[in-house]
Amino acid sequence: MEKEDEPKPESAQDKERPSRRAEILEQARTLFLDKGYAGTSMSALAKACGIQKASLYHHFPSKEALFIACVTEGYDVAILALQEIQDDRALTHEERVRRALAEIYRITIDSPVGRMSPLIAEVSRQIPEVARAFHDGFIIQQHEIVNAIIDAGIEDGAFARQDRLGMEHLIFGPIVTLSISRQMFTGLETIETLFPVAQVRDSHCDLILQLLRKQPESDSAA
Amino acid sequence: MEKEDEPKPESAQDKERPSRRAEILEQARTLFLDKGYAGTSMSALAKACGIQKASLYHHFPSKEALFIACVTEGYDVAILALQEIQDDRALTHEERVRRALAEIYRITIDSPVGRMSPLIAEVSRQIPEVARAFHDGFIIQQHEIVNAIIDAGIEDGAFARQDRLGMEHLIFGPIVTLSISRQMFTGLETIETLFPVAQVRDSHCDLILQLLRKQPESDSAA
DNA sequence: GTCTATATTTCGATAGAC
DNA sequence: GTCTATCGAAATATAGAC
């Protein structure tokens, strides 16, 4: 968090510019996630950034453009960690599934990108390109990596083949719902009883691996 | 919480009374679900109802009170159908699970009550009582019924005992996420490929029943 | 109970000084 | 690049006629 001892524009292009624009985006992400799109005003954002409202319009032409930048950037870093797990040849198939699931839990619950679902749902009709970017840049990427990890296990004979669509929803569904539930029920005393992250994650992972190990619908094995 | 001031429902108009308050609530539900809380104005609601904005304030003292009434009523009917499935002694344990899951899919995806999660998430900090009502009146009720159905199967020896928390999330997670995803990605051409209701539901149900039939972590049974 | 009219505040966005 | 000042529109809510 820098103050005001860096404002030298230098001769550098807009290549590296961690300054105002980035700070506005960060504050905006926080506010949008907390209050929603319509519930976040440019005045409130300006106050959170410690600048005047008019100054926001120097960096972004409109609230909508600011919002699009806000929810369209940052997918790459979230996907990168998953890809590294996918490519890690030192892991067993089961370990790779466990690592991947743990990473998806981390992204979906702890990072702003993962908590965006209700926000995207709010604006998806008004600003369809936001849903498109979230879908193509984040959802599809995650699904493809998980499918590839499972397929590799099936090819090696480590996993049984289960219905792909059902497995995708069985893997991502509980995680997304857990993230949203924890946002919905912040403050309720039962939240750590009904929605504890580590406990749900471990149990979820065990059940998924049971299904991957099992020969589907044919218990007469061995 | 006091009841709204309503024209006294004498014995005269018991039969037909869809009148203003109910119609306002219905229109409000639609708009709130579509545009969010902050994104729905009293003017837009008045226009949707075909009356003047000021008339809304005769039926509800404020926008917030209207919203609370909107998202606090209607849980009972949604829970009732589930309870009937729970109490239906003519069903086998597997059939009961299938029926219950199908009903939860229907509620969560087709009814306004089930699609409320993003909306509750938006306002949960501003109006905590809404999250409380949704939690106690809807979420907890559903979870308890599903747990009871599974427990009955375990007691009869039809189901294996799995981790309860994990199973709850494995059952409700994919359904809630499917509902929200279909709201987020309305209009995208891949929606029926990635998020087809009937196909996900059937596959989901099969996988859940595999886990309930299976002896956890010990395949050397019988 | 519904209307017209209006009060008051806040919204997104712009103009122009520095 | 940030500021002060302000615009026009739209927000919630109220007053009072009928």
PDB file of all heavy atoms in Angstrom, chain A residues 34 124-125 132 135 162-163 166 169 173 177 184 189-190 194 203 210 213 217, chain B residues 34 125 132 135 162-163 166 169 173 177 184 189-190 194 203 210 213 217:
ATOM      1  N   ASP A  34     -19.678  -6.230  -1.633  1.00  0.00           N
ATOM      2  CA  ASP A  34     -20.410  -6.037  -0.382  1.00  0.00           C
ATOM      3  C   ASP A  34     -21.811  -5.494  -0.604  1.00  0.00           C
ATOM      4  O   ASP A  34     -22.774  -5.949   0.026  1.00  0.00           O
ATOM      5  CB  ASP A  34     -19.622  -5.079   0.522  1.00  0.00           C
ATOM      6  CG  ASP A  34     -20.128  -5.100   1.945  1.00  0.00           C
ATOM      7  OD1 ASP A  34     -20.426  -6.206   2.438  1.00  0.00           O
ATOM      8  OD2 ASP A  34     -20.236  -4.024   2.552  1.00  0.00           O
ATOM      9  N   SER A 124     -26.187  -9.542 -14.909  1.00  0.00           N
ATOM     10  CA  SER A 124     -26.021 -10.321 -16.135  1.00  0.00           C
ATOM     11  C   SER A 124     -26.975  -9.884 -17.245  1.00  0.00           C
ATOM     12  O   SER A 124     -26.632  -9.961 -18.415  1.00  0.00           O
ATOM     13  CB  SER A 124     -26.223 -11.809 -15.848  1.00  0.00           C
ATOM     14  OG  SER A 124     -27.511 -12.032 -15.322  1.00  0.00           O
ATOM     15  N   ARG A 125     -28.150  -9.386 -16.867  1.00  0.00           N
ATOM     16  CA  ARG A 125     -29.099  -8.961 -17.908  1.00  0.00           C
ATOM     17  C   ARG A 125     -28.710  -7.591 -18.462  1.00  0.00           C
ATOM     18  O   ARG A 125     -28.799  -7.342 -19.649  1.00  0.00           O
ATOM     19  CB  ARG A 125     -30.514  -8.881 -17.332  1.00  0.00           C
ATOM     20  CG  ARG A 125     -30.950 -10.163 -16.655  1.00  0.00           C
ATOM     21  CD  ARG A 125     -31.995 -10.913 -17.448  1.00  0.00           C
ATOM     22  NE  ARG A 125     -32.185 -12.245 -16.921  1.00  0.00           N
ATOM     23  CZ  ARG A 125     -33.291 -12.676 -16.313  1.00  0.00           C
ATOM     24  NH1 ARG A 125     -34.313 -11.856 -16.177  1.00  0.00           N
ATOM     25  NH2 ARG A 125     -33.379 -13.903 -15.876  1.00  0.00           N
ATOM     26  N   ARG A 132     -20.421 -13.261 -19.856  1.00  0.00           N
ATOM     27  CA  ARG A 132     -19.619 -13.937 -20.877  1.00  0.00           C
ATOM     28  C   ARG A 132     -18.145 -14.049 -20.437  1.00  0.00           C
ATOM     29  O   ARG A 132     -17.543 -15.123 -20.520  1.00  0.00           O
ATOM     30  CB  ARG A 132     -19.738 -13.150 -22.192  1.00  0.00           C
ATOM     31  CG  ARG A 132     -18.615 -13.325 -23.160  1.00  0.00           C
ATOM     32  CD  ARG A 132     -18.621 -14.706 -23.782  1.00  0.00           C
ATOM     33  NE  ARG A 132     -19.879 -14.976 -24.463  1.00  0.00           N
ATOM     34  CZ  ARG A 132     -20.236 -16.180 -24.897  1.00  0.00           C
ATOM     35  NH1 ARG A 132     -19.445 -17.221 -24.674  1.00  0.00           N
ATOM     36  NH2 ARG A 132     -21.388 -16.351 -25.518  1.00  0.00           N
ATOM     37  N   HIS A 135     -17.775 -16.455 -17.535  1.00  0.00           N
ATOM     38  CA  HIS A 135     -18.018 -17.810 -18.017  1.00  0.00           C
ATOM     39  C   HIS A 135     -16.801 -18.348 -18.779  1.00  0.00           C
ATOM     40  O   HIS A 135     -16.256 -19.402 -18.440  1.00  0.00           O
ATOM     41  CB  HIS A 135     -19.257 -17.792 -18.919  1.00  0.00           C
ATOM     42  CG  HIS A 135     -19.594 -19.091 -19.559  1.00  0.00           C
ATOM     43  ND1 HIS A 135     -19.127 -19.453 -20.797  1.00  0.00           N
ATOM     44  CD2 HIS A 135     -20.352 -20.124 -19.128  1.00  0.00           C
ATOM     45  CE1 HIS A 135     -19.587 -20.656 -21.104  1.00  0.00           C
ATOM     46  NE2 HIS A 135     -20.335 -21.086 -20.115  1.00  0.00           N
ATOM     47  N   GLN A 162     -17.186 -42.099 -14.381  1.00  0.00           N
ATOM     48  CA  GLN A 162     -18.521 -41.714 -13.934  1.00  0.00           C
ATOM     49  C   GLN A 162     -19.107 -40.723 -14.928  1.00  0.00           C
ATOM     50  O   GLN A 162     -18.383 -40.193 -15.783  1.00  0.00           O
ATOM     51  CB  GLN A 162     -18.454 -41.055 -12.542  1.00  0.00           C
ATOM     52  CG  GLN A 162     -18.054 -42.011 -11.422  1.00  0.00           C
ATOM     53  CD  GLN A 162     -19.246 -42.780 -10.874  1.00  0.00           C
ATOM     54  OE1 GLN A 162     -20.324 -42.796 -11.458  1.00  0.00           O
ATOM     55  NE2 GLN A 162     -19.044 -43.452  -9.742  1.00  0.00           N
ATOM     56  N   ASP A 163     -20.377 -40.456 -14.806  1.00  0.00           N
ATOM     57  CA  ASP A 163     -20.994 -39.460 -15.687  1.00  0.00           C
ATOM     58  C   ASP A 163     -20.304 -38.107 -15.517  1.00  0.00           C
ATOM     59  O   ASP A 163     -20.224 -37.574 -14.404  1.00  0.00           O
ATOM     60  CB  ASP A 163     -22.486 -39.316 -15.360  1.00  0.00           C
ATOM     61  CG  ASP A 163     -23.164 -38.316 -16.262  1.00  0.00           C
ATOM     62  OD1 ASP A 163     -23.419 -38.656 -17.429  1.00  0.00           O
ATOM     63  OD2 ASP A 163     -23.414 -37.179 -15.806  1.00  0.00           O
ATOM     64  N   GLY A 166     -22.491 -34.983 -14.257  1.00  0.00           N
ATOM     65  CA  GLY A 166     -22.834 -35.105 -12.851  1.00  0.00           C
ATOM     66  C   GLY A 166     -21.633 -34.869 -11.947  1.00  0.00           C
ATOM     67  O   GLY A 166     -21.747 -34.207 -10.915  1.00  0.00           O
ATOM     68  N   HIS A 169     -20.794 -31.138 -11.581  1.00  0.00           N
ATOM     69  CA  HIS A 169     -21.688 -30.422 -10.663  1.00  0.00           C
ATOM     70  C   HIS A 169     -21.490 -30.880  -9.223  1.00  0.00           C
ATOM     71  O   HIS A 169     -21.653 -30.095  -8.291  1.00  0.00           O
ATOM     72  CB  HIS A 169     -23.144 -30.613 -11.113  1.00  0.00           C
ATOM     73  CG  HIS A 169     -23.487 -29.807 -12.316  1.00  0.00           C
ATOM     74  ND1 HIS A 169     -24.163 -28.614 -12.240  1.00  0.00           N
ATOM     75  CD2 HIS A 169     -23.207 -29.986 -13.625  1.00  0.00           C
ATOM     76  CE1 HIS A 169     -24.303 -28.110 -13.462  1.00  0.00           C
ATOM     77  NE2 HIS A 169     -23.732 -28.919 -14.311  1.00  0.00           N
ATOM     78  N   GLY A 173     -20.459 -27.618  -7.453  1.00  0.00           N
ATOM     79  CA  GLY A 173     -21.677 -27.178  -6.786  1.00  0.00           C
ATOM     80  C   GLY A 173     -21.505 -26.870  -5.314  1.00  0.00           C
ATOM     81  O   GLY A 173     -21.816 -25.764  -4.864  1.00  0.00           O
ATOM     82  N   THR A 177     -21.724 -23.021  -3.693  1.00  0.00           N
ATOM     83  CA  THR A 177     -22.801 -22.805  -2.731  1.00  0.00           C
ATOM     84  C   THR A 177     -22.259 -22.467  -1.353  1.00  0.00           C
ATOM     85  O   THR A 177     -22.802 -21.602  -0.653  1.00  0.00           O
ATOM     86  CB  THR A 177     -23.692 -24.059  -2.646  1.00  0.00           C
ATOM     87  OG1 THR A 177     -24.276 -24.303  -3.931  1.00  0.00           O
ATOM     88  CG2 THR A 177     -24.800 -23.863  -1.624  1.00  0.00           C
ATOM     89  N   MET A 184     -24.028 -14.972   2.422  1.00  0.00           N
ATOM     90  CA  MET A 184     -25.409 -14.689   2.817  1.00  0.00           C
ATOM     91  C   MET A 184     -25.568 -14.635   4.324  1.00  0.00           C
ATOM     92  O   MET A 184     -26.309 -13.814   4.857  1.00  0.00           O
ATOM     93  CB  MET A 184     -26.338 -15.793   2.296  1.00  0.00           C
ATOM     94  CG  MET A 184     -26.624 -15.754   0.829  1.00  0.00           C
ATOM     95  SD  MET A 184     -27.539 -17.233   0.363  1.00  0.00           S
ATOM     96  CE  MET A 184     -29.011 -17.036   1.370  1.00  0.00           C
ATOM     97  N   GLU A 189     -25.081 -17.124  13.933  1.00  0.00           N
ATOM     98  CA  GLU A 189     -24.222 -17.909  14.826  1.00  0.00           C
ATOM     99  C   GLU A 189     -24.020 -19.339  14.347  1.00  0.00           C
ATOM    100  O   GLU A 189     -23.056 -19.999  14.711  1.00  0.00           O
ATOM    101  CB  GLU A 189     -24.800 -17.904  16.249  1.00  0.00           C
ATOM    102  CG  GLU A 189     -26.116 -18.625  16.409  1.00  0.00           C
ATOM    103  CD  GLU A 189     -27.286 -17.751  15.976  1.00  0.00           C
ATOM    104  OE1 GLU A 189     -27.052 -16.598  15.530  1.00  0.00           O
ATOM    105  OE2 GLU A 189     -28.416 -18.213  16.077  1.00  0.00           O
ATOM    106  N   THR A 190     -24.922 -19.818  13.484  1.00  0.00           N
ATOM    107  CA  THR A 190     -24.802 -21.203  13.019  1.00  0.00           C
ATOM    108  C   THR A 190     -23.881 -21.346  11.816  1.00  0.00           C
ATOM    109  O   THR A 190     -23.731 -22.441  11.282  1.00  0.00           O
ATOM    110  CB  THR A 190     -26.184 -21.758  12.640  1.00  0.00           C
ATOM    111  OG1 THR A 190     -26.820 -20.845  11.764  1.00  0.00           O
ATOM    112  CG2 THR A 190     -27.026 -21.991  13.871  1.00  0.00           C
ATOM    113  N   LEU A 194     -22.951 -24.969  10.182  1.00  0.00           N
ATOM    114  CA  LEU A 194     -23.496 -25.438   8.909  1.00  0.00           C
ATOM    115  C   LEU A 194     -22.503 -25.293   7.764  1.00  0.00           C
ATOM    116  O   LEU A 194     -22.518 -26.076   6.819  1.00  0.00           O
ATOM    117  CB  LEU A 194     -24.767 -24.652   8.569  1.00  0.00           C
ATOM    118  CG  LEU A 194     -26.091 -25.225   9.043  1.00  0.00           C
ATOM    119  CD1 LEU A 194     -27.230 -24.294   8.678  1.00  0.00           C
ATOM    120  CD2 LEU A 194     -26.331 -26.593   8.402  1.00  0.00           C
ATOM    121  N   SER A 203     -14.460 -33.452   3.813  1.00  0.00           N
ATOM    122  CA  SER A 203     -15.502 -34.453   3.643  1.00  0.00           C
ATOM    123  C   SER A 203     -15.931 -34.546   2.175  1.00  0.00           C
ATOM    124  O   SER A 203     -16.114 -35.642   1.626  1.00  0.00           O
ATOM    125  CB  SER A 203     -16.695 -34.102   4.523  1.00  0.00           C
ATOM    126  OG  SER A 203     -17.727 -35.035   4.357  1.00  0.00           O
ATOM    127  N   GLN A 210     -14.372 -41.383  -3.230  1.00  0.00           N
ATOM    128  CA  GLN A 210     -15.119 -42.644  -3.169  1.00  0.00           C
ATOM    129  C   GLN A 210     -15.761 -42.957  -4.514  1.00  0.00           C
ATOM    130  O   GLN A 210     -15.700 -44.081  -5.011  1.00  0.00           O
ATOM    131  CB  GLN A 210     -16.226 -42.561  -2.109  1.00  0.00           C
ATOM    132  CG  GLN A 210     -15.778 -42.855  -0.686  1.00  0.00           C
ATOM    133  CD  GLN A 210     -16.974 -42.944   0.261  1.00  0.00           C
ATOM    134  OE1 GLN A 210     -17.978 -43.575  -0.052  1.00  0.00           O
ATOM    135  NE2 GLN A 210     -16.853 -42.304   1.415  1.00  0.00           N
ATOM    136  N   ARG A 213     -13.115 -43.861  -7.174  1.00  0.00           N
ATOM    137  CA  ARG A 213     -12.525 -45.184  -6.988  1.00  0.00           C
ATOM    138  C   ARG A 213     -13.507 -46.296  -7.312  1.00  0.00           C
ATOM    139  O   ARG A 213     -13.123 -47.379  -7.721  1.00  0.00           O
ATOM    140  CB  ARG A 213     -12.070 -45.345  -5.526  1.00  0.00           C
ATOM    141  CG  ARG A 213     -10.766 -44.639  -5.201  1.00  0.00           C
ATOM    142  CD  ARG A 213     -10.237 -45.092  -3.853  1.00  0.00           C
ATOM    143  NE  ARG A 213     -11.070 -44.612  -2.758  1.00  0.00           N
ATOM    144  CZ  ARG A 213     -10.750 -43.607  -1.953  1.00  0.00           C
ATOM    145  NH1 ARG A 213      -9.620 -42.963  -2.128  1.00  0.00           N
ATOM    146  NH2 ARG A 213     -11.536 -43.253  -0.973  1.00  0.00           N
ATOM    147  N   GLU A 217     -22.091 -48.644 -10.364  1.00  0.00           N
ATOM    148  CA  GLU A 217     -23.261 -49.533 -10.505  1.00  0.00           C
ATOM    149  C   GLU A 217     -22.898 -51.013 -10.626  1.00  0.00           C
ATOM    150  O   GLU A 217     -23.714 -51.811 -11.014  1.00  0.00           O
ATOM    151  CB  GLU A 217     -24.110 -49.117 -11.718  1.00  0.00           C
ATOM    152  CG  GLU A 217     -24.701 -47.733 -11.578  1.00  0.00           C
ATOM    153  CD  GLU A 217     -25.568 -47.602 -10.342  1.00  0.00           C
ATOM    154  OE1 GLU A 217     -26.758 -47.912 -10.416  1.00  0.00           O
ATOM    155  OE2 GLU A 217     -25.036 -47.185  -9.277  1.00  0.00           O
TER     156      GLU A 217
ATOM    157  N   ASP B  34     -35.001  -9.969 -10.537  1.00  0.00           N
ATOM    158  CA  ASP B  34     -34.397  -9.641 -11.822  1.00  0.00           C
ATOM    159  C   ASP B  34     -33.340  -8.559 -11.700  1.00  0.00           C
ATOM    160  O   ASP B  34     -32.270  -8.647 -12.304  1.00  0.00           O
ATOM    161  CB  ASP B  34     -35.505  -9.203 -12.794  1.00  0.00           C
ATOM    162  CG  ASP B  34     -35.014  -9.182 -14.229  1.00  0.00           C
ATOM    163  OD1 ASP B  34     -34.273 -10.107 -14.605  1.00  0.00           O
ATOM    164  OD2 ASP B  34     -35.369  -8.246 -14.971  1.00  0.00           O
ATOM    165  N   ARG B 125     -26.167  -7.751   4.682  1.00  0.00           N
ATOM    166  CA  ARG B 125     -25.488  -6.859   5.642  1.00  0.00           C
ATOM    167  C   ARG B 125     -26.392  -5.711   6.058  1.00  0.00           C
ATOM    168  O   ARG B 125     -26.444  -5.324   7.214  1.00  0.00           O
ATOM    169  CB  ARG B 125     -24.212  -6.284   5.024  1.00  0.00           C
ATOM    170  CG  ARG B 125     -23.286  -7.337   4.469  1.00  0.00           C
ATOM    171  CD  ARG B 125     -22.077  -7.537   5.371  1.00  0.00           C
ATOM    172  NE  ARG B 125     -21.354  -8.739   4.987  1.00  0.00           N
ATOM    173  CZ  ARG B 125     -20.161  -8.750   4.393  1.00  0.00           C
ATOM    174  NH1 ARG B 125     -19.541  -7.611   4.144  1.00  0.00           N
ATOM    175  NH2 ARG B 125     -19.586  -9.882   4.089  1.00  0.00           N
ATOM    176  N   ARG B 132     -31.693 -14.093   8.255  1.00  0.00           N
ATOM    177  CA  ARG B 132     -32.178 -14.929   9.358  1.00  0.00           C
ATOM    178  C   ARG B 132     -33.462 -15.680   8.980  1.00  0.00           C
ATOM    179  O   ARG B 132     -33.590 -16.892   9.190  1.00  0.00           O
ATOM    180  CB  ARG B 132     -32.399 -14.037  10.591  1.00  0.00           C
ATOM    181  CG  ARG B 132     -33.362 -14.555  11.611  1.00  0.00           C
ATOM    182  CD  ARG B 132     -32.796 -15.728  12.370  1.00  0.00           C
ATOM    183  NE  ARG B 132     -31.552 -15.391  13.059  1.00  0.00           N
ATOM    184  CZ  ARG B 132     -30.735 -16.299  13.575  1.00  0.00           C
ATOM    185  NH1 ARG B 132     -31.023 -17.599  13.449  1.00  0.00           N
ATOM    186  NH2 ARG B 132     -29.635 -15.944  14.188  1.00  0.00           N
ATOM    187  N   HIS B 135     -32.770 -18.323   6.356  1.00  0.00           N
ATOM    188  CA  HIS B 135     -32.007 -19.411   6.972  1.00  0.00           C
ATOM    189  C   HIS B 135     -32.897 -20.307   7.810  1.00  0.00           C
ATOM    190  O   HIS B 135     -32.969 -21.525   7.604  1.00  0.00           O
ATOM    191  CB  HIS B 135     -30.890 -18.797   7.826  1.00  0.00           C
ATOM    192  CG  HIS B 135     -30.068 -19.775   8.586  1.00  0.00           C
ATOM    193  ND1 HIS B 135     -30.383 -20.161   9.869  1.00  0.00           N
ATOM    194  CD2 HIS B 135     -28.944 -20.443   8.259  1.00  0.00           C
ATOM    195  CE1 HIS B 135     -29.481 -21.043  10.284  1.00  0.00           C
ATOM    196  NE2 HIS B 135     -28.593 -21.221   9.342  1.00  0.00           N
ATOM    197  N   GLN B 162     -22.751 -42.202   5.861  1.00  0.00           N
ATOM    198  CA  GLN B 162     -21.681 -41.347   5.354  1.00  0.00           C
ATOM    199  C   GLN B 162     -21.592 -40.107   6.232  1.00  0.00           C
ATOM    200  O   GLN B 162     -22.487 -39.840   7.036  1.00  0.00           O
ATOM    201  CB  GLN B 162     -21.987 -40.923   3.904  1.00  0.00           C
ATOM    202  CG  GLN B 162     -21.949 -42.062   2.902  1.00  0.00           C
ATOM    203  CD  GLN B 162     -20.539 -42.354   2.400  1.00  0.00           C
ATOM    204  OE1 GLN B 162     -19.556 -41.883   2.969  1.00  0.00           O
ATOM    205  NE2 GLN B 162     -20.448 -43.168   1.360  1.00  0.00           N
ATOM    206  N   ASP B 163     -20.535 -39.355   6.057  1.00  0.00           N
ATOM    207  CA  ASP B 163     -20.397 -38.112   6.815  1.00  0.00           C
ATOM    208  C   ASP B 163     -21.575 -37.184   6.504  1.00  0.00           C
ATOM    209  O   ASP B 163     -21.847 -36.857   5.352  1.00  0.00           O
ATOM    210  CB  ASP B 163     -19.091 -37.409   6.446  1.00  0.00           C
ATOM    211  CG  ASP B 163     -18.895 -36.127   7.218  1.00  0.00           C
ATOM    212  OD1 ASP B 163     -18.545 -36.200   8.410  1.00  0.00           O
ATOM    213  OD2 ASP B 163     -19.126 -35.045   6.640  1.00  0.00           O
ATOM    214  N   GLY B 166     -20.819 -33.585   4.902  1.00  0.00           N
ATOM    215  CA  GLY B 166     -20.425 -33.718   3.507  1.00  0.00           C
ATOM    216  C   GLY B 166     -21.593 -34.077   2.610  1.00  0.00           C
ATOM    217  O   GLY B 166     -21.746 -33.533   1.504  1.00  0.00           O
ATOM    218  N   HIS B 169     -23.881 -31.071   1.884  1.00  0.00           N
ATOM    219  CA  HIS B 169     -23.330 -30.153   0.878  1.00  0.00           C
ATOM    220  C   HIS B 169     -23.293 -30.792  -0.496  1.00  0.00           C
ATOM    221  O   HIS B 169     -23.452 -30.104  -1.509  1.00  0.00           O
ATOM    222  CB  HIS B 169     -21.941 -29.690   1.309  1.00  0.00           C
ATOM    223  CG  HIS B 169     -21.976 -28.691   2.412  1.00  0.00           C
ATOM    224  ND1 HIS B 169     -21.829 -27.339   2.207  1.00  0.00           N
ATOM    225  CD2 HIS B 169     -22.189 -28.833   3.753  1.00  0.00           C
ATOM    226  CE1 HIS B 169     -21.930 -26.696   3.360  1.00  0.00           C
ATOM    227  NE2 HIS B 169     -22.146 -27.581   4.315  1.00  0.00           N
ATOM    228  N   GLY B 173     -25.519 -28.436  -2.566  1.00  0.00           N
ATOM    229  CA  GLY B 173     -24.570 -27.608  -3.301  1.00  0.00           C
ATOM    230  C   GLY B 173     -24.825 -27.559  -4.795  1.00  0.00           C
ATOM    231  O   GLY B 173     -25.004 -26.469  -5.364  1.00  0.00           O
ATOM    232  N   THR B 177     -26.166 -24.129  -6.786  1.00  0.00           N
ATOM    233  CA  THR B 177     -25.254 -23.596  -7.792  1.00  0.00           C
ATOM    234  C   THR B 177     -25.866 -23.639  -9.187  1.00  0.00           C
ATOM    235  O   THR B 177     -25.706 -22.708  -9.979  1.00  0.00           O
ATOM    236  CB  THR B 177     -23.930 -24.376  -7.776  1.00  0.00           C
ATOM    237  OG1 THR B 177     -23.326 -24.235  -6.491  1.00  0.00           O
ATOM    238  CG2 THR B 177     -22.970 -23.854  -8.834  1.00  0.00           C
ATOM    239  N   MET B 184     -27.186 -16.531 -13.753  1.00  0.00           N
ATOM    240  CA  MET B 184     -26.021 -15.768 -14.216  1.00  0.00           C
ATOM    241  C   MET B 184     -25.874 -15.817 -15.721  1.00  0.00           C
ATOM    242  O   MET B 184     -25.537 -14.816 -16.345  1.00  0.00           O
ATOM    243  CB  MET B 184     -24.737 -16.349 -13.613  1.00  0.00           C
ATOM    244  CG  MET B 184     -24.528 -16.065 -12.161  1.00  0.00           C
ATOM    245  SD  MET B 184     -23.076 -16.982 -11.580  1.00  0.00           S
ATOM    246  CE  MET B 184     -21.801 -16.287 -12.619  1.00  0.00           C
ATOM    247  N   GLU B 189     -25.132 -19.236 -25.016  1.00  0.00           N
ATOM    248  CA  GLU B 189     -25.585 -20.388 -25.816  1.00  0.00           C
ATOM    249  C   GLU B 189     -25.184 -21.713 -25.182  1.00  0.00           C
ATOM    250  O   GLU B 189     -25.786 -22.748 -25.472  1.00  0.00           O
ATOM    251  CB  GLU B 189     -25.028 -20.287 -27.243  1.00  0.00           C
ATOM    252  CG  GLU B 189     -23.518 -20.442 -27.360  1.00  0.00           C
ATOM    253  CD  GLU B 189     -22.802 -19.134 -27.034  1.00  0.00           C
ATOM    254  OE1 GLU B 189     -23.490 -18.139 -26.687  1.00  0.00           O
ATOM    255  OE2 GLU B 189     -21.578 -19.108 -27.109  1.00  0.00           O
ATOM    256  N   THR B 190     -24.188 -21.693 -24.303  1.00  0.00           N
ATOM    257  CA  THR B 190     -23.744 -22.954 -23.705  1.00  0.00           C
ATOM    258  C   THR B 190     -24.545 -23.331 -22.462  1.00  0.00           C
ATOM    259  O   THR B 190     -24.259 -24.344 -21.828  1.00  0.00           O
ATOM    260  CB  THR B 190     -22.260 -22.866 -23.305  1.00  0.00           C
ATOM    261  OG1 THR B 190     -22.074 -21.697 -22.529  1.00  0.00           O
ATOM    262  CG2 THR B 190     -21.371 -22.845 -24.524  1.00  0.00           C
ATOM    263  N   LEU B 194     -23.976 -26.827 -20.419  1.00  0.00           N
ATOM    264  CA  LEU B 194     -23.301 -26.901 -19.123  1.00  0.00           C
ATOM    265  C   LEU B 194     -24.290 -27.053 -17.971  1.00  0.00           C
ATOM    266  O   LEU B 194     -23.971 -27.653 -16.954  1.00  0.00           O
ATOM    267  CB  LEU B 194     -22.461 -25.634 -18.894  1.00  0.00           C
ATOM    268  CG  LEU B 194     -21.011 -25.678 -19.332  1.00  0.00           C
ATOM    269  CD1 LEU B 194     -20.349 -24.324 -19.118  1.00  0.00           C
ATOM    270  CD2 LEU B 194     -20.243 -26.756 -18.586  1.00  0.00           C
ATOM    271  N   SER B 203     -28.395 -37.329 -13.046  1.00  0.00           N
ATOM    272  CA  SER B 203     -27.031 -37.794 -12.790  1.00  0.00           C
ATOM    273  C   SER B 203     -26.627 -37.557 -11.332  1.00  0.00           C
ATOM    274  O   SER B 203     -26.023 -38.408 -10.679  1.00  0.00           O
ATOM    275  CB  SER B 203     -26.063 -37.078 -13.737  1.00  0.00           C
ATOM    276  OG  SER B 203     -24.746 -37.490 -13.494  1.00  0.00           O
ATOM    277  N   GLN B 210     -25.380 -43.850  -5.232  1.00  0.00           N
ATOM    278  CA  GLN B 210     -24.185 -44.699  -5.179  1.00  0.00           C
ATOM    279  C   GLN B 210     -23.505 -44.580  -3.818  1.00  0.00           C
ATOM    280  O   GLN B 210     -23.102 -45.572  -3.220  1.00  0.00           O
ATOM    281  CB  GLN B 210     -23.185 -44.284  -6.269  1.00  0.00           C
ATOM    282  CG  GLN B 210     -23.440 -44.867  -7.652  1.00  0.00           C
ATOM    283  CD  GLN B 210     -22.302 -44.549  -8.610  1.00  0.00           C
ATOM    284  OE1 GLN B 210     -21.136 -44.668  -8.250  1.00  0.00           O
ATOM    285  NE2 GLN B 210     -22.659 -44.129  -9.812  1.00  0.00           N
ATOM    286  N   ARG B 213     -25.630 -46.172  -1.053  1.00  0.00           N
ATOM    287  CA  ARG B 213     -25.626 -47.636  -1.081  1.00  0.00           C
ATOM    288  C   ARG B 213     -24.286 -48.210  -0.661  1.00  0.00           C
ATOM    289  O   ARG B 213     -24.212 -49.305  -0.123  1.00  0.00           O
ATOM    290  CB  ARG B 213     -25.946 -48.122  -2.503  1.00  0.00           C
ATOM    291  CG  ARG B 213     -27.407 -48.027  -2.877  1.00  0.00           C
ATOM    292  CD  ARG B 213     -27.677 -48.797  -4.137  1.00  0.00           C
ATOM    293  NE  ARG B 213     -27.053 -48.142  -5.292  1.00  0.00           N
ATOM    294  CZ  ARG B 213     -27.728 -47.471  -6.209  1.00  0.00           C
ATOM    295  NH1 ARG B 213     -29.039 -47.339  -6.099  1.00  0.00           N
ATOM    296  NH2 ARG B 213     -27.126 -46.914  -7.233  1.00  0.00           N
ATOM    297  N   GLU B 217     -15.478 -46.585   2.419  1.00  0.00           N
ATOM    298  CA  GLU B 217     -14.068 -46.910   2.628  1.00  0.00           C
ATOM    299  C   GLU B 217     -13.811 -48.379   2.927  1.00  0.00           C
ATOM    300  O   GLU B 217     -12.740 -48.764   3.348  1.00  0.00           O
ATOM    301  CB  GLU B 217     -13.476 -46.059   3.761  1.00  0.00           C
ATOM    302  CG  GLU B 217     -13.474 -44.580   3.460  1.00  0.00           C
ATOM    303  CD  GLU B 217     -12.717 -44.253   2.185  1.00  0.00           C
ATOM    304  OE1 GLU B 217     -11.505 -44.027   2.276  1.00  0.00           O
ATOM    305  OE2 GLU B 217     -13.339 -44.249   1.096  1.00  0.00           O
TER     306      GLU B 217
END
